[in-house]
Amino acid sequence: MEKILEDIIVSNEHLKNRGSLADYIPALGRVDPNKIGISLADIDGNIYRAGDWDHKFTIQSISKVLSLMLAIMDNGEENVFKRVDYEATEEPFNTMFKLDFPQTLKPANPMINAGAIVTTSLIKGEDKFARILDFYRKISGNKDLDYNREVYVSEKKTGDKNRSIAYLMKARGFIEGDVDRILDVYFKQCSIEVNTLDLAKIGLFIADRSDLNTNQIKKLTTAIMASSGMYNFSGKYAVEVGVPSKSGVGGGIVATLPNKMGIGVYSPVLDEYGNSSVGFGIMKDLEKSLTLSIY
Ligand code: GLN
């Protein structure tokens, strides 16, 4: 298996020339564009790794998946989806288009920034970030997970688009509370550092349906990943890969195959949608070699 993974890395390496780093967050513009890693963790406890599987990077938008789960655990499904829809959108991840339309009453889905700022705002507790980090540590089995201060400060300094989105949503009554505090948690959660094995274990946690109490949350989270996890590329990704996945502008992709396995992939060069160029190629080849599509 590890040989298959290594071959897949070699045949997709050239895609790192297609696209660019997420330099709208200056610290992300300084990462090494050549790192490529893959990890797979299956339901029987097997782990397979290749390339720079243990290279650390920031989780970015992949955090949206876990914030959604925490928000539902804290508030219940109905209360969360009163405030954020679960409809795919053709707009990019950082859109604020339509947020000020009179007929818009909530963001399109929890995988775009606006929707994720809503779910983060709904997480309960005095120290929301401590709860989030604790949750990540628990489900990845990695108690050393922490956030990257440099990336956090860099995004906080330059995060005016997210600030605009959040203040507009506050003005329209979509979120409640102190906007800067909510954004601070959002920027920190995006800066949590992981490697591909951590992602594979997060994917496996969502794939593992042996705990009846969390099945419904995992089922709906997986469906939202499948319909919106790769932003406005989700339709094509469903056809070409067919594995519920979530990407982040740090270059990571987490994929989850219900009752089977979790996959973590990393390469920081992004395509026009903000998805890892090499990562997409790797996912396509993994699907072909291991027949992974759920459709
Ligand atoms: N922190 C990033 C942002 O808010 C996350 C976006 C992403 O990974 N697509 O812009």
Side-chain angles (χ1 to χ4, degrees):
M1 175 68 111
E2 264 143 13
K3 171 85 175 95
I4 296 178
L5 300 185
E6 272 152 27
D7 288 349
I8 289 180
I9 290 181
V10 172
S11 52
N12 285 285
E13 221 161 354
H14 67 282
L15 295 172
K16 70 183 182 211
N17 301 318
R18 264 191 232 166
S20 50
L21 297 170
D23 51 10
Y24 78 97
I25 300 174
L28 294 186
R30 296 191 284 270
V31 305
D32 180 350
N34 299 309
K35 300 282 185 208
I36 302 176
I38 313 180
S39 293
L40 257 65
D42 75 16
I43 205 90
D44 299 320
N46 301 307
I47 283 172
Y48 307 100
R49 298 165 270 204
D52 304 304
W53 67 269
D54 60 347
H55 181 74
K56 284 189 189 173
F57 52 92
T58 55
I59 195 161
Q60 298 298 334
S61 275
I62 297 168
S63 67
K64 293 167 176 171
V65 172
L66 301 180
S67 296
L68 170 65
M69 295 180 93
L70 272 174
I72 297 173
M73 286 173 195
D74 285 357
N75 301 274
E77 219 177 292
E78 207 185 311
N79 289 324
V80 170
F81 294 115
K82 257 187 219 155
R83 300 203 162 247
V84 59
D85 210 343
Y86 39 76
E87 205 46 82
T89 170
E90 57 185 358
E91 308 307 328
F93 68 82
N94 60 353
T95 188
M96 56 191 300
F97 181 56
K98 291 190 183 157
L99 269 187
D100 202 25
F101 283 17
Q103 66 271 30
T104 301
L105 299 174
K106 50 190 172 185
N109 66 64
M111 302 292 116
I112 56 170
N113 291 9
I117 292 168
V118 169
T119 54
T120 297
S121 79
L122 294 173
I123 295 170
K124 298 216 162 114
E126 245 329 283
D127 192 345
K128 285 182 207 263
F129 181 68
R131 282 199 59 221
I132 292 172
L133 190 57
D134 194 51
F135 186 52
Y136 281 58
R137 286 176 176 166
K138 214 181 286 160
I139 67 179
S140 65
N142 181 354
K143 60 177 180 7
D144 297 325
L145 286 189
D146 206 347
Y147 70 102
N148 178 315
R149 270 72 179 167
E150 188 200 345
V151 174
Y152 158 68
V153 170
S154 182
E155 181 166 2
K156 194 169 170 150
K157 254 194 211 153
T158 55
D160 292 327
K161 183 79 186 275
N162 285 324
R163 237 167 252 125
S164 313
I165 290 170
Y167 274 100
L168 176 58
M169 292 200 296
K170 172 83 191 273
R172 296 220 51 210
F174 299 179
I175 54 173
E176 283 156 25
D178 184 306
V179 176
D180 286 324
R181 276 183 68 183
I182 295 166
L183 282 169
D184 194 64
V185 177
Y186 174 77
F187 294 144
K188 266 190 196 151
Q189 78 178 42
C190 287
S191 307
I192 292 175
E193 253 182 343
V194 290
N195 62 34
T196 59
L197 183 59
D198 299 318
L199 286 188
K201 290 201 178 152
I202 291 171
L204 178 62
F205 166 77
I206 302 168
D208 178 2
R209 305 298 166 81
S210 57
D211 174 6
L212 292 182
N213 294 321
T214 54
N215 267 2
Q216 171 59 13
I217 296 183
K218 289 177 177 178
K219 195 165 80 176
L220 74 87
T221 301
T222 303
I224 293 174
M225 288 168 73
S227 56
S228 306
M230 306 301 278
Y231 316 114
N232 43 338
F233 187 69
S234 299
K236 288 193 192 70
Y237 188 88
V239 171
E240 292 189 36
V241 178
V243 182
S245 301
K246 179 78 202 83
S247 63
V249 293
I253 298 178
V254 68
T256 181
L257 269 157
N259 296 309
K260 289 199 183 110
M261 71 170 89
I263 302 170
V265 175
Y266 173 70
S267 165
V269 174
L270 306 179
D271 63 20
E272 63 197 286
Y273 302 95
N275 298 322
S276 169
S277 298
V278 176
F280 172 50
I282 287 176
M283 286 305 300
K284 269 201 291 198
D285 281 354
L286 278 176
E287 196 290 316
K288 269 195 224 115
S289 307
L290 309 174
T291 337
L292 299 180
S293 174
I294 61 165
Y295 297 108

